[in-house]
Amino acid sequence: MSWRNCSPCAERLVDVGCGDGWLTRLLTKRGVHVTGIEVSPRHLQEVRSKPHVGDEHYIQGLAEDLPITSRSVDIVLYFNSLHHIDKDGLPKAMVEAARVLKSGGILYVCEPLAEGAYFEVMKPVHDETAVRQEALAILRLAPEFGLLLEKTVNYTDLVKLRDFDAFHDRLTSINPHVRERFIELEDVIHANFNRLGQETADGWAFEQPMRACLLRRV
């Protein structure tokens, strides 16, 4: 389910939890006016150091308190980021998404499920079972926040990595607190990496089931 099919006249999009800004830049190249919201100062410094591809810009902020004017946004996007919000903050994030959306605006959420090869490789050191389930559970309460769940689609993504060291760097850079445990369990994780991954010409690929949800501000 592509965001491009959500609204043919979308003009302003907010990418919440934009990380290094890869999706913000991609959408900007396609003609969307994108604001990236990121809480991490390190990620913000990194993304602001990269050349702009258009009129995208970045703001430090929380999903629970978006620094965005009410009723000013066509699409609020959570791509692989909703589960990073604390359980107590999820209702506030939904309230904020509804607040900033125009009438008929879209909340597009794409989340990894707690299953699949990539999930199983990272699970011994960083088990996201609970937080992934909580992120999807809050969407079932959408009407309480003035949002209508219109469509849900499951699909399988491929996480591509150069090698085991690239997996280590990816996981520990996003979650620095797991570094010590990663070292303790490195042999187990490496064995799972080789067992569950699909070796390709340029590295390794791991299946990660995803769920995309389209909600509309009513």
Side-chain angles (χ1 to χ4, degrees):
M1 181 171 59
S2 169
W3 75 269
R4 293 289 293 179
N5 297 323
C6 296
S7 176
C9 58
E11 294 183 353
R12 187 176 181 197
L13 182 147
V14 174
D15 181 10
V16 185
C18 65
D20 64 5
W22 72 270
L23 187 53
T24 296
R25 292 189 295 275
L26 176 63
L27 296 174
T28 299
K29 288 180 180 178
R30 297 187 177 185
V32 185
H33 305 295
V34 187
T35 298
I37 304 294
E38 177 56 48
V39 66
S40 166
R42 182 176 64 84
H43 280 316
L44 276 175
Q45 182 178 6
E46 178 186 356
V47 74
R48 286 171 174 166
S49 68
K50 297 178 180 178
H52 276 52
V53 299
D55 63 355
E56 77 273 21
H57 65 288
Y58 303 92
I59 304 175
Q60 185 169 15
L62 294 168
E64 303 95 311
D65 186 20
L66 292 173
I68 302 292
T69 304
S70 298
R71 303 291 181 266
S72 64
V73 176
D74 297 290
I75 296 177
V76 172
L77 173 66
Y78 280 91
F79 189 89
N80 210 10
S81 58
L82 188 63
H83 68 279
H84 291 296
I85 301 171
D86 291 339
K87 183 178 180 179
D88 292 341
L90 286 171
K92 298 176 183 177
M94 293 296 100
V95 168
E96 280 294 276
R99 177 185 66 81
V100 304
L101 282 170
K102 299 175 183 177
S103 179
I106 287 169
L107 171 61
Y108 187 91
V109 179
C110 192
E111 281 288 303
L113 302 180
E115 58 188 67
Y118 186 72
F119 173 76
E120 293 299 330
V121 172
M122 65 180 284
K123 186 177 180 180
V125 67
H126 188 56
D127 187 353
E128 290 190 336
T129 301
V131 294
R132 293 186 182 190
Q133 291 174 347
E134 289 161 2
L136 293 173
I138 196 67
L139 300 181
R140 293 196 288 269
L141 303 178
E144 297 182 15
F145 309 111
L147 298 162
L148 178 65
L149 179 59
E150 290 192 348
K151 191 171 184 179
T152 299
V153 174
N154 287 4
Y155 69 97
T156 300
D157 192 16
L158 277 182
V159 178
K160 297 180 180 180
L161 299 163
R162 183 185 68 256
D163 51 26
F164 182 73
D165 288 340
F167 170 69
H168 170 273
D169 293 345
R170 174 185 173 124
L171 190 63
T172 57
S173 65
I174 298 174
N175 311 282
H177 61 281
V178 308
R179 286 196 176 100
E180 289 186 9
R181 184 159 176 78
F182 197 108
I183 293 172
E184 294 172 3
L185 298 175
E186 185 167 351
D187 290 344
V188 173
I189 299 169
H190 205 161
N192 290 340
F193 183 94
N194 292 333
R195 176 174 60 87
L196 296 168
Q198 304 170 29
E199 193 166 9
T200 66
D202 56 355
W204 294 78
F206 297 83
E207 290 189 351
Q208 175 56 67
M210 305 288 291
R211 179 168 298 163
C213 301
L214 187 152
L215 304 95
R216 193 175 299 275
R217 180 73 170 92
V218 296

